[in-house]
Amino acid sequence: QVQLQESGPGLVKPSLTLSLTCTVSGGSITTNYYNWNWIRQPPGKGLEWIGFITYSGSTAYSPSLKSRTSISRDTSNNLFSLQLSSVTPEDTAVYYCARRGRLDEYDYWGQGTQITVSS
């Protein structure tokens, strides 16, 4: 069974960069044809897709966040990471990592990590 686990700082000060890591077990992040996503949910709002990195290392980002977002991976440690720069309180959310397969379903999710942007 595939398991994903987010790791993050909890609290981030405005204007700084949020860095999150998703560690994957039970499956390789290089396995065809999955992609590995970051998704967030601000309080009282719906899920917002941030971006993904594919099994081959290609990336794609939400247009609204693209200028501030970078997703990368470490295949040796079977993890992928998110960097979101210049954060504001509007970036406060629960951040999830999730796998998406060939049917476009998010079949495995991490438990989520709460990120609060505040001075």
Side-chain angles (χ1 to χ4, degrees), residues 39-42 45-49 94 96 109:
I39 300 157
R40 69 181 184 181
Q41 186 169 33
K45 299 182 180 179
L47 295 169
E48 179 184 19
W49 179 73
V94 177
Y96 299 93
W109 293 71

Side-chain angles (χ1 to χ4, degrees), residues 6 18 20 39-40 50 82 84 91 93-96 112-113 115:
E6 303 91 346
L18 169 65
L20 299 174
I39 300 157
R40 69 181 184 181
I50 298 169
L82 170 70
L84 183 65
D91 294 310
V94 177
Y95 284 74
Y96 299 93
T113 184
I115 299 298

Side-chain angles (χ1 to χ4, degrees), residues 63-81:
S64 64
L65 297 170
K66 183 177 181 179
S67 67
R68 299 193 289 131
T69 305
S70 180
I71 297 173
S72 58
R73 66 179 183 167
D74 179 351
T75 59
S76 296
N77 291 296
N78 208 41
L79 61 85
F80 62 105
S81 301

Side-chain angles (χ1 to χ4, degrees), residues 2 24 26-36 53-57 73 75 78 99-102:
V2 175
V24 178
S28 174
I29 62 172
T30 64
T31 296
N32 302 354
Y33 292 95
Y34 298 107
N35 55 52
W36 304 89
I53 188 162
T54 73
Y55 68 97
S56 64
R73 66 179 183 167
T75 59
N78 208 41
R99 188 178 82 168
R100 192 170 73 210
R102 305 181 81 169

Side-chain angles (χ1 to χ4, degrees), residues 7-12 18-20 113-115:
S7 179
L11 181 66
V12 184
L18 169 65
S19 296
L20 299 174
T113 184
Q114 173 69 53
I115 299 298

